[in-house]
Amino acid sequence: MSLALDVKAGFAKRPRSPPPKYFYDALGSCLFEAIGRLPWYRITKAETRLLRRVAPAVAGALRGPVRVVELGSGSGVKLALVVEALHARRKKTDVHVVDLSAAAIEASLERLAKIPGVSARGHRSTYERGLREAMFGPRGKGDCLVLFLGSNIGNFDPADATRLLSAVRRRLRPGDALLLGTDLVKPERKLLDAYDDPLGLTAAFNLNLLLRLNRELRADFDLGAWAHRAVWNARARRVEMHLVSLKSQCVRIPGARVVADFAAGETLWTESSHKYEPDDVDRIAAAAGFRRERRWVDGGARFALTLCRAVPAPGAEEDS
Ligand code: AVJ
């Protein structure tokens, strides 16, 4: 994982598309936290509300001692709800927090430290490497629960989402659990308000990527020459965020050995947020080796939490 190589590869595609994980530097993580409080961005609030209600059921479905691994935890508020529910059921718990932001990990560990009898570690890492680190070494008899919340999976197209969940599945034993948060398809107006908010926070979140490339790769993006744009791609069922070049311009990114010419109106495609139908979730989970056990939906925001179990891999011994 390297910013320079990923930018180089992303700028070789058309439209040019750097990977969205680089939004989350210190400022970007703060901006995303702020987005979570906007009335138009309902994912974070809906999922937190849902988790408050269903965390006891999730905790009840697991055999202790439980290992909890969260991929992309952010501030750790939702993680703490699950761990508190495990504590309330007297289940010994060790927690692994995977995030790209050091500040996010610190905030999560601080929150977890307030819950008695919980041991916790942070992994400042990508999903796959963080999960590998978290699952390294011997395991006890209890279940593992992987949390992949907040529609983080929405950044992947269905094929890549299936690949990622398959990679998660390979780290688990049959009977281990996955709690998956997915945003559901809803009217276009609502989707666009969530990704192009009247306060301009999402625009700032998007443009901050250019600020980061200027700082870390000595790029020369003129932030005034770019505009935030969100579009609903109905066929691919995703909201796309772009940065539109407001004029014909040349951008240099010495740290990635990139020189890029942009026509007026040409875009940098910075993120996709895929939206799901409930059946899509089951299909992707099944393709990755999971079986849906329960689903809870927030009807107002149209957001789903799905609890899945790892099924035995084809050809594997029963009870291995
Ligand atoms: C953190 C990837 C779930 O796609 O909704 C928020 C990021 N982008 N506003 C999302 C985001 C624009 C968010 N995820």
Side-chain angles (χ1 to χ4, degrees):
M1 173 192 66
S2 124
L3 174 64
L5 290 176
D6 284 343
V7 166
K8 175 107 189 142
F11 272 65
K13 301 185 206 162
R14 295 294 179 275
R16 295 181 177 95
S17 37
K21 65 184 173 193
Y22 294 109
F23 281 127
Y24 303 93
D25 63 358
L27 177 55
S29 294
C30 285
L31 287 169
F32 179 65
E33 283 297 316
I35 287 170
R37 296 169 189 244
L38 292 172
W40 307 278
Y41 189 86
R42 298 179 68 185
I43 291 178
T44 319
K45 291 179 288 294
E47 190 178 42
T48 307
R49 195 161 62 225
L50 210 49
L51 261 180
R52 262 186 228 295
R53 179 158 70 80
V54 311
V58 173
L62 302 169
R63 291 170 309 168
V66 179
R67 172 171 298 176
V68 180
V69 184
E70 177 160 28
L71 305 178
S73 59
S75 65
V77 171
K78 292 174 275 186
L79 172 60
L81 290 172
V82 173
V83 175
E84 270 159 14
L86 287 162
H87 170 64
R89 292 186 172 244
R90 306 266 173 283
K91 289 180 185 172
K92 218 170 150 270
T93 305
D94 77 297
V95 185
H96 293 260
V97 179
V98 178
D99 204 283
L100 290 167
S101 153
I105 290 176
E106 216 169 288
S108 300
L109 293 180
E110 212 166 287
R111 222 177 279 284
L112 293 170
K114 297 189 182 118
I115 310 169
V118 171
S119 61
R121 285 192 51 180
H123 305 271
R124 185 169 175 218
S125 186
T126 56
Y127 298 142
E128 289 186 49
R129 194 160 66 94
L131 183 65
R132 168 153 42 91
E133 287 173 15
M135 301 308 283
F136 194 75
R139 270 187 62 186
K141 285 205 311 270
D143 292 332
C144 179
L145 168 67
V146 174
L147 299 175
F148 198 26
L149 302 178
S151 205
N152 283 344
I153 196 173
N155 278 165
F156 299 86
D157 67 30
D160 285 341
T162 306
R163 266 190 285 279
L164 177 62
L165 293 187
S166 301
V168 170
R169 169 65 190 85
R170 283 193 293 275
R171 298 276 163 205
L172 299 178
R173 299 192 298 222
D176 283 338
L178 167 71
L179 188 63
L180 188 59
T182 49
D183 201 20
L184 302 177
V185 175
K186 58 194 110 253
E188 178 169 6
R189 188 66 263 153
K190 293 199 165 169
L191 288 166
L192 292 181
D193 281 348
Y195 290 88
D196 192 3
D197 65 273
L199 281 187
L201 285 188
T202 310
F205 176 73
N206 199 4
L207 284 160
N208 178 55
L209 183 68
L210 302 184
L211 205 57
R212 180 173 190 179
L213 300 185
N214 284 354
R215 190 179 61 242
E216 295 187 23
L217 298 176
R218 290 168 284 112
D220 62 357
F221 283 99
D222 168 8
L223 269 64
W226 296 86
H228 170 68
R229 179 190 288 165
V231 291
W232 169 240
N233 181 333
R235 196 177 38 82
R237 288 209 203 117
R238 67 189 178 216
V239 177
E240 298 173 1
M241 286 208 315
H242 294 261
L243 288 164
V244 186
S245 177
L246 296 176
K247 59 180 191 194
S248 142
Q249 55 183 325
C250 175
V251 177
R252 272 159 243 280
I253 316 177
R257 299 181 180 283
V258 166
V259 178
D261 281 309
F262 289 90
E266 192 175 344
T267 76
L268 261 177
W269 179 11
T270 50
E271 189 183 43
S272 294
S273 298
H274 289 82
K275 304 301 168 184
Y276 282 77
E277 301 289 358
D279 284 350
D280 303 335
V281 181
D282 297 354
R283 242 192 314 276
I284 282 181
F290 291 95
R291 176 179 50 76
R292 168 165 65 84
E293 185 161 296
R294 294 195 70 174
R295 172 157 39 240
W296 300 276
V297 174
D298 182 300
R302 298 286 299 145
F303 185 89
L305 274 174
T306 307
L307 180 66
C308 303
R309 291 281 180 183
V311 298
E317 299 289 312
E318 289 288 324
D319 292 317
S320 66

